C-alpha cells in the first residue's frame, strides 16, 4: 500500500460509536472514505450510510469482508462479537480498527491476535484517550524526562452519570468497562509493566448497580515494575460532569492534567468566583481524540507503519481488569502473573 | 426560501479567510454547499474548488452573480472591493455574507447598505468573535443581569506577531484593522452606544511599522451612553501568543474571559509551575466561531430570520475606528457625532 | 478557670516546634503568656526564654510541673517522652497541649489518657492541619452537606525533601511519622470510622532510607464504614515543594484543596505560562494553623470548653499508622480491629 | 546610629492606620519599640498605648518631638496635618515615616521636603503596596528583564465598598485618594516617568458621591517617556471584594498579578465550579506589606541606608493625581509639566 492511497473503510456496527467514526471518516480525515456500513439492524446501517454518503449498507458484515474494494474495517459492534470478526477480517486480508476492549476472554483475544499475525494485517485497538491532546502532552513530558523517574501515578476517571442498568449487566463490570481505559492510560503514561493490583470498591451511587452484581465506586492500586505506584479512582457518577484527570509525579517534577471546559469564563459576584464545569460527556471531551486515532490508523495503512495501539497493547488492560476483578473479589493484592502466566 | 432548503453559496476571494469558509461550508455546515469559487487569480479559485469539490471556479465574481443556482455569496476579497461587490450582489438578488470591515469609507458603506435594503436581501458581516463560545458566555451573563449595570469594560487584544509590512500599509491602520474587532466586541457586550473615544498609541514593536505610517501599540478609552467606560489595549506582538481577553464589570459582579489553551496540563518542577500558552493564532483560537457564524448565516437564509450581525452593526465599528484614528491624530477625545453626524 | 483569665504556659522542649509555639504564644495569642521554658539542654531553654521574654528557664520539666503559677504545659519534647510527661503533668493538675503523635505504643497512650481522665485536666493533641484555613473550608463544606454523602477521599501529602537519616531512624517510619497527619485529616474530613487499610510502598527517593528500614513513597487505601474509600499518597521528596492537597468527592459535589503559593503572579513568555511554586516548607504552609490551634487551646482553658483535638482523636491516627505498617509488611488489607480490638 | 540599635518610635495619630502600625511595631518588628502615642483625642492615644504597652500617651505630638529618647515618628494623622508635622519633626531631628499622601498641595510638600533635607533626617512615605509580595514579584520580573521593554501596563484597583460620604468629602477626590496608590504602583513597576495623563470618569455606584463633588468610577491613561502606555481603572465598589490586579506587558513577556484569596478551595457541583473571593479588605490584603514597609523603615534607620520610598517618590503620585484631576475636569490629556513645571 503506497503513501497517499485513498483508504476504503467498511464500518461494522452502526451504533453510537460507529456513527461517530463514520462522521469523523467523512468530515475530518483526508485520505479515507467510508465505503460501506454493516449492522445487524439493516435500517441503522442504511441510515448511517445515507447520512455520510457511503455507497453500501448491509446487514451481514461478511459482505464487506468479501468486497475487494474495501481495505480495512472498523469494528464497532458489541464486545462479544469483536474477536470472531477480527479473525474473519484478518482471514479476508482486511486491516482492522477494533473498538476496545478486544474481548473479556484472554483465550479469545489470543486466538484473534494469532489470526491477525498470521494474516499480516494491521490491527489498531480503539484506546482513543491516548490521542487526547492533554494526555499526549503528559506522555510527552514523561518521555522527555521532565518528570524524571516516575514515582506515583494518579488517575481520576468519573462519569457524569451511570449508564443504563441493562448496559451495566453486559458491560463486564466496572473494572473491564470503565477502569480499562485507565489501565491503558497507566501503561501509556508510565511505560513500564504493572506487576500487582489491589482493588477495592463499593456501591454508593445506586443500589440497583449492586443488585446487578457490579459496583459503582472503586479505588485501585497498581504496583509497577521497579517500585512506582499508581492509584486509580472511578465513580459512575460525578454530578459536576465528566471528570478525567491524571497526574504523574517523579524525581524531577510532576505533570497534572485538569479537565477541559467549554469556555474560560470566570464570573465573580458576592457569593464567590464561578467558572464552567468540565465538558459533560465523552463525545465532547474526547472528540478530538477519536479523530486523531482514526487519522493515525489511516496514516499507518497509507505509510505501512506499525499501528499506534497494537493488539498486544489492547490485550494488557484486559489482563489488568481481570486482576482487579479478582483482587476485589478476594480482597487481596493480585499479581498479574496469576492471571496471565 | 423554505426551512431546510440546501443553500448554494458562491465564494468570492480564495485567500486565507476564503479558504477557511470553504472548508467550514464543506465539512461542518449541514444544509449548505460550496457551489462556486471566484478569485481574480483563477488558479487560487480552482485550487480551492478542487479541494472542497465545488463544481465551478471562475476569475470574475460576476459569473457567480449571474448564476441563478447560487443563493448567496461570501465576500472574502480585499476590503476595498467589498462595497462594490455588495452593491452588485444585492442587485443580482444574492444574499450576502461579507468579511469585516465592510469598507473604510462611511459613504461607500452607506451606498452598499442602501443597495442591500433596496434589494431586500440579507447581509451578515463577519464579526466572527461574537460567535466564540467564550464571548457568547460573557454576553449571556451580561444579558441575564448577572453583571448588573455595566460600569467598566476591559478588552485586551494582542496578536502573536505583526502581519507583513505590505499588509500593514493597506490595512487601514491599527484602529480599522485590529481594534475594529474590539469595537464590535464592545458593542456586543455592552449593548449601549459609545459616545466618545480617546485613543493613544506608540510604535514599540517595530520601527518599520512606524515608518509605514501606523502604530503597533494602543490604548483606547470608550465612553458609553449613561457613563460606563471601556478600555481596549492592542499590541501587534505578544510573544506568548494570541491574547484575547475581555472583562465586564458592573454593579452585581464581573465576568472575565481568559485565553483558551490547547491543553490543561500543569507541569511543576523546581523552577516553578508551568502551563500551556494560549492558542497561537486566530485560525485555532476562533475556529469554532467561524463555523458558528456561517452556520448562523445559512440558518437565517433557511428560516428567513434576521441576520446575526447586520449591516448597521457592521458599520458602527468603522465609525468607532475613524473616531479613534482622529483622536490619536489630534490627541484629544473625539465624539462619535463628529464622525457620523 | 474563668473566661478571659491570662493563661500561664510552660513550654517543655525548646526545639524547632517548641520555639514555634513560644513565638506564637508571645506574639499572636492574647490571653496567654509563655511563663517558663524547660529543655534537657538548659542552654536551649534559656535562649528561647530570653528571646521571648519568659521569666524562667530550666532543664528539668518537673520544675514547671511543681510551679503553681503555671496553668498548662505545651509538650514539644521527643515523642518517646510524651506519654510519661503527660502522666506527670496530669498528676500535677496541669492542662496539656501535646505535639503529635502522643506515642507509638497504644499501651502507653492508653495509660496517659487514663491519667488525664483521672486528673480531669484538658488535653489537646497538636494535629495542627485541622486548623489550616484550607482544610477548615473543606471540612465546612462537607459538614454543610455541599458534598452530599462522601464517596471518595484523596489526600496527597509530599515533603519537599527527606528529613535527615538520623531523624528517619527514630521517626517511627513513614506511616507513623508522615502519613499520621493524613490519617487524622481523613478522620477530620470524613467524620466516620476507617475500618480497613491497605498500604503499599517503595524506596524510590533515596536508597539510604531503605537501608534505614523505612520507605519513602507510599499509597494507602482506606475503607470507611458504610463504603466510602480514601486514597493517600506520600512522598518524602517533591522537587517542586511542599505538596498538600485533599479532595472530598460525594453524591452532591466535590471540594478540592490546592496548594498555597507565596504570590499570585503569572508570567507568560514564549516558553509558556509560569507561576509560583507552593509554599516550600511546613513552617510557612502551616504557619496560621499553628497559631490557630494554640489560640484554640488557650480559649478552651479560658472558657472551660472541650479541647479541639481530644486524646481519643489523637490516638486514632496511631492505630491507623500501625494498621498501615502491618498492611505494608504483610502485603494485605488489615482491619483496624486487628490492631485495636 | 549603629546597626542593631533599638529604635524608639513615637506614633502620631491613633486611628485605624495608626493602630495597625502600633500592632506591627509591637508584634512583628524586632529592633523597634512603640515608645509613645499621640492623638488629639487623648483617650484614643491612651487606649492604643495601653494595648501595645507603650509607656507614654499624649494629646500633643509636640511632646513626642521634644522627647530625646524618641528616634523617629510615624505620622498617621489626618492628611492636612502631615506637612506641618513633617516640618516640625524634621526640625526636632526625628526620622519620619509618613502615611500617604504627603499632602494635596505641592507647595506644602516642597516645604516639608526642604525641611527634611535641611535637617538631614530620613523620610519614608507609606506607599505600602510596594512591599506586597505580589507586586514585589512583578517588579522583580520587570527588573530582571523578563518582561523586556515594557509596552503596556494595566492596573485594576477596586474597593469592596465606598467609604463613608463624610470621608469622601475630605478625601481629595478619587484621583488623590484612590488612584494615588496606582500612580505610585505605575512608577514602581515601570521605572520611567509619566509624561501625560488622560482621565475620564463617572458616577455609577452612588449618586451621593456625585452630589459630594466626586466620581466613583474612573479610567486613566498614562503615557510614559519613550512610548509605553498605562491604563488604570478604579471603582469604589466591587461587590465581589477588594480587586487589586496589575499586568506589565512587554517585548519579552507579561507578568500579571491576580488577587489573593483566603484559601485555595475549589468546589464543584452541578451548577459550576466555585472558589473563594479575594481577601475582602485592605487590612487583610495588604497586611504583610504594612509589616514589611515598617520593618524596612526601621532597618534603614539602624543601618543608615536610604529610605525605601523617598519624599520625592511620595510627591510624584500627587503630581499625577493633580494632572488626572485637571484632565477629568477639562476632558483632555494633560501633560505632567503643566502641573509641575
Amino acid at each position: 500500500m503506497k503513501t497517499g492511497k485513498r483508504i476504503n473503510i467498511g464500518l461494522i456496527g452502526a451504533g453510537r460509536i460507529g456513527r461517530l467514526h463514520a462522521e469523523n471518516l467523512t468530515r475530518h480525515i483526508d485520505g479515507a472514505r467510508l465505503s460501506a456500513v454493516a449492522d445487524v439492524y439493516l435500517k441503522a446501517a442504511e441510515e448511517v450510510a445515507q447520512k455520510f454518503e457511503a455507497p453500501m449498507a448491509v446487514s451481514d458484515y461478511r459482505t464487506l469482508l468479501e468486497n475487494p474494494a474495501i481495505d480495512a474495517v472498523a469494528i464497532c459492534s458489541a464486545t462479544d462479537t469483536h474477536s470472531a470478526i477480527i479473525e474473519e477480517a484478518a482471514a479476508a486480508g482486511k486491516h482492522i480498527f477494533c473498538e476496545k476492549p478486544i474481548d473479556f476472554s484472554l483465550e479469545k483475544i489470543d486466538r484473534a491476535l494469532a489470526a491477525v499475525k498470521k494474516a499480516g494485517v494491521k490491527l489498531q485497538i480503539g484506546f482513543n484517550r491516548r490521542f487526547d491532546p492533554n494526555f499526549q502532552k503528559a506522555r510527552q513530558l514523561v518521555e522527555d524526562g521532565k518528570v524524571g523517574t516516575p514515582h506515583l501515578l494518579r488517575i481520576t476517571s468519573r462519569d457524569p452519570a451511570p449508564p443504563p442498568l441493562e448496559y451495566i449487566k453486559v458491560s463486564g463490570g466496572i473494572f473491564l468497562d470503565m477502569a480499562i481505559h485507565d489501565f491503558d492510560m497507566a501503561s501509556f503514561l508510565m511505560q513500564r509493566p504493572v506487576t500487582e493490583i489491589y482493588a477495592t470498591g463499593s456501591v454508593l451511587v445506586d443500589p440497583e448497580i449492586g443488585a446487578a452484581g457490579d459496583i459503582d465506586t472503586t479505588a485501585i492500586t497498581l504496583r509497577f515494575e521497579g517500585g512506582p505506584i499508581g492509584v486509580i479512582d472511578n465513580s459512575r457518577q460525578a454530578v459536576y460532569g465528566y471528570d478525567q484527570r491524571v497526574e504523574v509525579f517523579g524525581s524531577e517534577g510532576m505533570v497534572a492534567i485538569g479537565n477541559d471546559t467549554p469556555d474560560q469564563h470566570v464570573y465573580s459576584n458576592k457569593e464567590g468566583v464561578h467558572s464552567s464545569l468540565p465538558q459533560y460527556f465523552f463525545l465532547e471531551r474526547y472528540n478530538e481524540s477519536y479523530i486523531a486515532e482514526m487519522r493515525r490508523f489511516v496514516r499507518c495503512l497509507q505509510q505501512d507503519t506499525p499501528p499506534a495501539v497494537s493488539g498486544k497493547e489492547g490485550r494488557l488492560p484486559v489482563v489488568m481488569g481481570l486482576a482487579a476483578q479478582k483482587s476485589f473479589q478476594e480482597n487481596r493484592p493480585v499479581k498479574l502473573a496469576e492471571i496471565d502466566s
Side-chain angles (χ1 to χ4, degrees), chain A residues 14 24 29 53 55 63 67 99 104 106 117 132 140 153 155 195-196 222 226 230-231 247 251 271 306 320 338:
Chain A
N24 291 344
I29 297 167
E53 302 181 3
T63 317
N67 187 336
E99 269 305 318
F104 300 140
L106 293 182
K117 191 172 182 187
D132 175 77
Q140 181 201 316
L153 166 74
I155 300 180
T195 54
E196 191 176 289
L222 312 176
V231 285
E247 182 179 312
S251 58
E271 269 84 35
M320 293 165 77
E338 297 182 47

Side-chain angles (χ1 to χ4, degrees), chain A residues 62-85:
Chain A
R62 289 179 192 91
T63 317
L64 303 195
L65 300 185
E66 287 158 9
N67 187 336
I70 287 179
D71 301 303
V73 292
I75 304 177
C76 302
S77 51
T79 298
D80 59 3
T81 68
H82 287 179
S83 60
I85 299 179

Side-chain angles (χ1 to χ4, degrees), chain A residues 120-309:
Chain A
V121 296
K122 290 179 196 298
L123 169 65
Q124 181 176 321
I125 308 302
F127 279 108
N128 61 292
R129 294 184 191 177
R130 289 183 176 222
F131 296 87
D132 175 77
N134 279 301
F135 302 128
Q136 289 266 329
K137 183 76 185 177
R139 161 73 181 257
Q140 181 201 316
L141 286 165
V142 173
E143 274 195 340
D144 292 354
K146 298 290 190 185
V147 163
T149 307
H151 291 178
L152 287 164
L153 166 74
R154 293 197 339 178
I155 300 180
T156 284
S157 181
R158 301 169 188 159
D159 282 346
L165 273 174
E166 290 318 301
Y167 174 80
I168 287 206
K169 285 172 189 165
V170 300
S171 69
I174 198 166
F175 300 111
L176 283 161
D177 178 53
M178 198 170 165
I180 197 164
H181 275 295
D182 306 311
F183 293 141
D184 182 61
M185 186 55 60
S187 300
F188 178 63
L189 292 175
M190 297 290 276
Q191 297 289 301
R192 70 201 64 205
V194 166
T195 54
E196 191 176 289
I197 293 183
Y198 172 72
T200 188
S202 297
V203 178
L204 296 167
V205 172
D206 183 356
E208 295 283 341
I209 293 174
D214 202 358
I215 55 175
D216 51 37
T217 305
T218 181
I220 306 164
T221 304
L222 312 176
R223 281 196 66 89
F224 292 87
E225 203 171 276
I229 305 165
V231 285
I232 295 167
D233 73 79
N234 287 170
S235 169
R236 286 288 192 187
Q237 181 167 295
V239 294
Y240 52 86
Y242 198 39
D243 193 353
Q244 299 285 298
R245 290 173 287 154
V246 310
E247 182 179 312
V248 187
F249 166 83
S251 58
E252 300 298 325
M254 170 174 70
V255 54
I257 299 298
N259 285 309
D260 278 335
T261 51
D263 59 57
Q264 308 303 318
H265 95 278
V266 176
Y267 171 62
S268 303
N269 64 1
K270 64 186 170 207
E271 269 84 35
V273 175
H274 318 280
S275 56
S276 282
L277 289 174
Q279 299 280 10
Y280 186 73
F281 205 34
F282 76 94
L283 294 177
E284 291 92 50
R285 173 63 180 83
Y286 287 121
N287 184 31
E288 279 188 68
S289 72
Y290 284 112
I291 295 171
E293 72 171 354
M294 196 53 83
R295 192 172 280 147
R296 175 68 183 269
F297 176 62
V298 168
R299 211 178 60 206
C300 98
L301 300 191
Q302 289 178 321
Q303 305 184 350
D304 195 12
T305 52
V309 189

